Amino acid sequence: DAEVVLVGRSNVGKSTLMRELTGHSFDTGGKPGVTRSPNHYDWTAEDFVLTDLPGFGFMSGVEEDHREQIKTDIVRYLEEYADNVLVAVLVVDGKSVVDIIDRHTGPDSIPYDVEMYHFLQDIGIPTVVAVNKMDKVDDRDERLDELAERLGLYPPWKQWQETIAPISAKREQLEPMYEAVRTHLHEQERDDLF
Ligand code: GDP
């Protein structure tokens, strides 16, 4: 079955979002870094499988090698199933993502969210960046412009609504993400016709 994958650092609200999309309950706020293999669910509103990839990034009490292993597994999974994956949803925390990106940008380091975004582009998977927890963000447009710029998308972010989707999983405000995902699905249907 055609698949939509969800990736994101720990604590960005991926479990909360999964619960909204599937109606299943997930272990929100659970112990991060516990390795989970990819989990597959039906996306109730749509006709495809939703795959939850393990969270990654800093996790207290989790060894560096273990964190690297999680990342390697995610990359392998995406490479292996790239042809089957219709859309990837990269979930970030709108409140902290720009600071985290800036903190991890250096001469030899690329922040994980930026790296993952480019990796998904490189392997040809259309990507929606679901910017979660927007209920906590005051300077919305400014923040989203900064994020766009960090991802190499020329601001204003509103030009990139098929990529940047501000949401609040907790408040069930998900329409921009649905809309962005739909745009990519329709593009692919068009491509299949020609
Ligand atoms: P995960 O580690 O990515 O699966 O993150 P969780 O779904 O467990 O969420 C981490 C924390 O962020 C929890 O305390 C959630 O209640 C909170 N959270 C998730 N989504 C939102 C949101 O849209 N807004 C706010 N304010 N908090 C959220």
Side-chain angles (χ1 to χ4, degrees):
D1 254 1
E3 184 177 348
V4 171
V5 299
L6 239 67
V7 287
R9 301 173 69 93
S10 304
N11 210 41
V12 295
K14 223 150 59 69
S15 314
T16 308
L17 181 58
M18 282 296 289
R19 194 171 52 207
E20 288 302 319
L21 298 178
T22 65
H24 288 259
S25 63
F26 289 87
D27 185 18
T28 49
K31 190 171 184 287
V34 179
T35 314
R36 295 170 299 154
S37 33
N39 284 311
H40 306 283
Y41 303 92
D42 292 330
W43 185 336
T44 23
E46 305 282 344
D47 192 21
F48 38 67
V49 170
L50 190 63
T51 301
D52 185 23
L53 294 174
F56 53 79
F58 175 77
M59 297 167 262
S60 61
V62 178
E63 301 285 331
E64 175 66 26
D65 329 356
H66 184 65
R67 292 206 292 265
E68 282 306 312
Q69 189 59 49
I70 293 174
K71 284 202 220 171
T72 307
D73 291 348
I74 293 172
V75 165
R76 284 221 187 100
Y77 182 89
L78 290 169
E79 279 171 343
E80 187 171 348
Y81 296 102
D83 287 345
N84 200 42
V85 176
L86 296 175
V87 177
V89 178
L90 171 61
V91 188
V92 300
D93 178 339
K95 184 86 184 164
S96 61
V97 63
V98 172
D99 287 343
I100 292 176
I101 288 176
D102 289 351
R103 213 181 313 139
H104 291 95
T105 302
D108 320 296
S109 63
I110 302 169
Y112 188 86
D113 290 317
V114 176
E115 188 181 24
M116 181 55 78
Y117 177 74
H118 290 303
F119 169 71
L120 289 163
Q121 302 303 291
D122 288 346
I123 61 174
I125 300 181
T127 306
V128 172
V129 181
V131 191
N132 192 30
K133 308 195 188 182
M134 287 306 289
D135 57 289
K136 294 206 289 186
V137 175
D138 301 323
D139 48 351
R140 182 185 165 88
D141 286 336
E142 201 180 314
R143 192 64 63 90
L144 294 168
D145 283 348
E146 287 171 349
L147 175 61
E149 200 256 298
R150 303 305 189 273
L151 295 173
L153 304 171
Y154 203 75
W157 76 273
K158 287 201 169 155
Q159 295 187 105
W160 303 99
Q161 292 189 63
E162 77 289 358
T163 304
I164 295 182
I167 61 167
S168 172
K170 208 167 173 173
R171 301 221 174 144
E172 301 175 30
Q173 292 163 351
L174 303 176
E175 195 48 46
M177 188 195 70
Y178 288 133
E179 197 53 47
V181 169
R182 268 184 227 124
T183 307
H184 291 296
L185 297 180
H186 293 157
E187 267 164 18
Q188 288 174 41
E189 279 166 13
R190 261 205 318 276
D191 291 348
D192 290 345
L193 284 174
F194 298 107

